[in-house]
Amino acid sequence: RPGLGDHALAQLLHRVAANHGPQAERKHLRLAVAPTHCAVRTDAVLLERVLGNLVSNAIRYTERGKVLVGCRRRPHGVELQVWDTGIGISPAHLPQLFDEFFQIDSPERDRGKGLGLGLSIVKRTLDLLGHPYTLRSTPGRGTCFSILLPLAEALPVVAARPGTGASAGRIAGAF
């Protein structure tokens, strides 16, 4: 099993925003990270890679609007979400979306935007970590990827640092 431990999400979200902020700025998109005080049990390195992949994809397939990253309290943990106002995904394509080399063949999707491996790696990593995930999408309106993370057992709560570069967003029910 990966190196599971208790980690504050604020620092992880800050690093992802700092790493992907320039990509969003080049497209004139707003990358917003909702402040959080929660801590979760996970492998922080693997989760950061997964989250980075999801944020990068959200930016890649969003032409205007924003990408929002935040957390919601759930009965069995913390739901980490990546929302975008991108092109969305047709319900017909959702079952294959996490398959290796799968890419949606549509005019909005550019073959030069990747090999179709990113989401298969996300799936394998989240399965390895034991973190359930869901995807909701509406063509023309956007997509939301959610990952359910167990609450930390021992880490003291660490507040998000204000003014960290990415503008703060709000998610209803966020903590």
Side-chain angles (χ1 to χ4, degrees):
R1 195 135 202 194
L4 296 179
D6 293 339
H7 303 279
L9 277 177
Q11 288 85 3
L12 185 144
L13 298 183
H14 170 70
R15 286 191 304 272
V16 169
N19 289 338
H20 295 281
Q23 179 189 6
E25 287 176 19
R26 282 192 296 276
K27 291 188 71 176
H28 306 288
L29 298 174
R30 183 169 167 235
L31 174 56
V33 176
T36 183
H37 301 283
C38 65
V40 296
R41 181 170 260 313
T42 189
D43 181 309
V45 171
L46 293 178
L47 183 62
E48 186 171 338
R49 287 184 186 156
V50 163
L51 187 58
N53 187 299
L54 294 176
V55 168
S56 180
N57 277 351
I59 293 168
R60 185 177 299 138
Y61 296 111
T62 300
E63 293 306 317
R64 60 185 169 276
K66 70 179 176 179
V67 174
L68 174 61
V69 182
C71 306
R72 296 176 191 254
R73 185 179 303 273
R74 295 296 186 220
H76 301 291
V78 174
E79 188 175 23
L80 178 58
Q81 297 181 317
V82 177
W83 290 83
D84 69 56
T85 56
I87 62 174
I89 303 161
S90 165
H93 292 119
L94 292 177
Q96 301 118 318
L97 198 62
F98 292 94
D99 293 350
E100 286 183 356
F101 303 110
F102 178 77
Q103 290 185 314
I104 296 171
D105 188 20
S106 69
E108 296 88 2
R109 301 261 177 190
D110 176 0
R111 288 273 183 213
K113 291 185 174 179
L115 297 173
L117 288 172
L119 291 179
S120 67
I121 293 169
V122 164
K123 176 189 184 316
R124 281 197 313 252
T125 304
L126 292 174
D127 288 347
L128 176 70
L129 290 169
H131 299 331
Y133 55 92
T134 58
L135 164 67
R136 294 187 316 272
S137 189
T138 304
R141 300 217 37 203
T143 301
C144 175
F145 283 91
S146 298
I147 304 167
L148 186 61
L149 304 167
L151 284 169
E153 296 172 7
L155 189 74
V157 175
V158 177
R161 290 177 273 160
T164 56
S167 54
R170 295 279 175 231
I171 293 181
F175 66 102

